[in-house]
Amino acid sequence: MSVDLSELPNLDPAAFVRPDPLALGAARATHPPRILLLYGSLRERSYSKLLALEAARLLQAMGAETRLFDPRGLPLPDAAPDSDAKVQELRELTLWSEGMVWSSPERHGAMSGVLKAQIDWIPLSQGALRPTQGKTLALLQVSGGSQSFNALNQMRVLGRWMRLLTIPNQSSVAKAWQEFDTPGRMRPSPYYDRLVDVMEELLKFTLLTRDLAPYLVDRYSERRPGTDSLAAASGAAPPAVVAPT
């Protein structure tokens, strides 16, 4: 069906592009999906870390390459310059990644400050790049008591704010101290099965979208001449992934 653009007087015809299904048939990359995992506790026996490690093992078994960021030594947001070594490490890993996993404990009905500080150090823009835009995200949380979804709900809002493609599935592990053995491995349970489901879904969404992310997140408002945006300033749509090294 063709529509006369003159009937849409507020529309900029030069910036308006109809979505093209053929553009979704881009050639697929063959390197392993690159997934960055963040966790939200500095405890020696951190259940959010143990859950992230279990997730990383599953991702590796599914063919992904994973990196786990250690938040120890990361300063509070604005308490150090951007040149701080831990801040630079986190930002470089974010640029490296094609997808992310956030694993947080629930504290006082919210996600932990340790995880929030990591997210706060990831800029929405970095030069002509948007470090998170168009990348996939899976959400995990652990609770000391009954099952809750407060941390998950907060992280989902943050994922949208960071322009991440947050997958529908998620995992909330209640009474986490019962779900891991002494060496720190997750015991068989419906919680473990759900974790497998979430990691499988994350890999599928990452494989589906990583090569198409620049097209998927290309925006009419940023194609308009004179738009105050990174895309307009750089003369190109912001890249969502970094070429494999």
Side-chain angles (χ1 to χ4, degrees):
M1 178 179 178
S2 177
V3 175
D4 185 353
L5 295 186
S6 65
E7 297 178 7
L8 300 168
N10 294 330
L11 196 67
D12 181 351
F16 179 74
V17 178
R18 292 185 64 180
D20 181 6
L22 296 179
L24 301 175
R28 300 294 180 180
T30 58
H31 65 274
R34 301 190 297 270
I35 307 297
L36 171 62
L37 298 99
L38 307 180
Y39 59 92
S41 172
L42 303 180
R43 290 178 176 176
E44 183 176 350
R45 186 172 172 85
S46 162
Y47 293 109
S48 64
K49 180 180 180 180
L50 293 179
L51 187 60
L53 286 169
E54 203 68 45
R57 294 185 188 100
L58 289 167
L59 289 167
Q60 291 164 14
M62 295 174 189
E65 181 181 357
T66 65
R67 304 279 176 85
L68 189 76
F69 177 72
D70 183 352
R72 290 176 297 179
L74 182 71
L76 289 174
D78 302 325
D82 293 352
S83 58
D84 179 89
K86 288 297 290 187
V87 173
Q88 287 299 307
E89 178 189 355
L90 175 59
R91 292 184 175 186
E92 289 169 5
L93 285 172
T94 304
L95 288 172
W96 166 86
S97 70
E98 297 169 325
M100 301 178 73
V101 175
W102 294 351
S103 176
S104 178
E106 180 169 315
R107 291 184 176 170
H108 302 300
M111 63 185 295
S112 73
V114 172
L115 185 60
K116 183 60 163 58
Q118 294 172 72
I119 298 169
D120 285 347
W121 271 119
I122 300 172
L124 290 175
S125 62
Q126 192 168 348
L129 297 175
R130 291 195 175 96
T132 54
Q133 177 168 289
K135 299 181 180 184
T136 53
L137 173 65
L139 304 175
L140 314 175
Q141 85 162 65
V142 293
S143 304
S146 59
Q147 191 172 53
S148 172
F149 301 94
N150 292 321
L152 290 171
N153 292 336
Q154 287 186 326
M155 290 189 289
R156 193 165 288 276
V157 170
L158 285 170
R160 181 194 62 79
W161 190 260
M162 301 298 285
R163 298 186 178 182
L164 288 154
L165 304 176
T166 309
I167 67 169
N169 211 344
Q170 59 188 18
S171 172
S172 173
V173 180
K175 297 182 180 179
W177 50 275
Q178 292 182 341
E179 300 302 322
F180 294 87
D181 61 20
T182 301
R185 296 303 303 273
M186 196 170 184
R187 294 189 169 98
S189 72
Y191 292 132
Y192 180 82
D193 294 345
R194 170 59 68 90
L195 181 65
V196 178
D197 289 347
V198 174
M199 293 305 102
E200 184 178 51
E201 186 171 294
L202 174 65
L203 257 293
K204 290 177 180 177
F205 271 76
T206 304
L207 290 168
L208 180 66
T209 62
R210 66 176 179 176
D211 303 302
L212 303 169
Y215 178 72
L216 293 174
V217 299
D218 182 37
R219 299 181 177 199
Y220 161 78
S221 61
E222 296 177 346
R223 292 193 298 269
R224 298 189 65 200
T227 300
D228 183 14
S229 69
L230 292 170
S234 65
V241 298
V242 179
T245 57

